[in-house]
Amino acid sequence: MTDRLTKIFEKIPSCQTFADIGCDHGYVAKAMIKSGKAKKVIISDISAKCLLKAEELLAEEIEQGVAVSVVSDGFEKVGNTDVALIAGMGGEEICKIIESAHALPKTLVLQPMKNCDKVRLCAVKAGYKVVYDQVF
């Protein structure tokens, strides 16, 4: 994992079910299972082609039933989770994902590439409290 992803991973709390929204390669989801911080992970991306990279990385976990892969626009097809990560995309896109969700997890870990101020405001409007905030 990159330094950025490692720093993000370190801030994710332990949970039963973890969702990586826009998971890219799936490195954080893999680390969540491998470390025991999550009993189950859901990897999702709006693009089936992009999701394939994560599916390949987590093929064993998918086969064992501890990882589930879904093509989803944000939380649309993700289902219930305790904790979700939305990272590596623009802040406006993260806000769109949060605002369009029918249901959100108890905890969100967010890492926008720009427009951090908009993401903070959006999260607070959605009922979240900012527990940790770092620019890196």
Side-chain angles (χ1 to χ4, degrees):
M1 277 198 308
T2 64
D3 287 342
R4 178 181 69 88
L5 291 178
T6 299
K7 288 177 184 182
I8 293 168
F9 169 75
E10 290 169 353
K11 297 299 177 193
I12 301 171
S14 295
C15 59
Q16 289 292 313
T17 305
F18 168 76
D20 192 346
I21 309 298
C23 65
D24 195 39
H25 289 87
Y27 296 133
V28 175
K30 178 84 170 186
M32 289 295 288
I33 289 291
K34 188 176 177 182
S35 69
K37 286 177 78 170
K39 300 209 183 304
K40 179 180 177 182
V41 299
I42 300 166
I43 52 173
S44 77
D45 203 286
I46 196 167
S47 162
K49 184 178 178 182
C50 290
L51 190 57
L52 187 58
K53 298 177 285 189
E55 289 171 338
E56 290 172 358
L57 179 69
L58 288 131
E60 186 177 317
E61 289 82 359
I62 292 169
E63 186 177 313
Q64 294 169 353
V66 295
V68 176
S69 172
V70 294
V71 175
S72 179
D73 185 359
F75 287 97
E76 183 180 50
K77 297 178 185 173
V78 171
N80 294 329
T81 65
D82 306 310
V83 176
L85 170 66
I86 310 174
M89 58 185 84
E92 291 181 357
E93 184 64 24
I94 290 174
C95 288
K96 181 181 141 226
I97 290 169
I98 292 169
E99 291 166 352
S100 67
H102 296 318
L104 290 164
K106 180 181 176 187
T107 303
L108 286 176
V109 177
L110 308 172
Q111 188 272 303
M113 299 304 277
K114 58 184 179 176
N115 298 318
C116 297
D117 54 337
K118 289 182 181 181
V119 173
R120 286 184 201 99
L121 182 60
C122 175
V124 170
K125 283 184 178 179
Y128 291 95
K129 179 174 97 175
V130 177
V131 175
Y132 181 83
D133 192 337
Q134 175 186 4
V135 176
F136 62 90

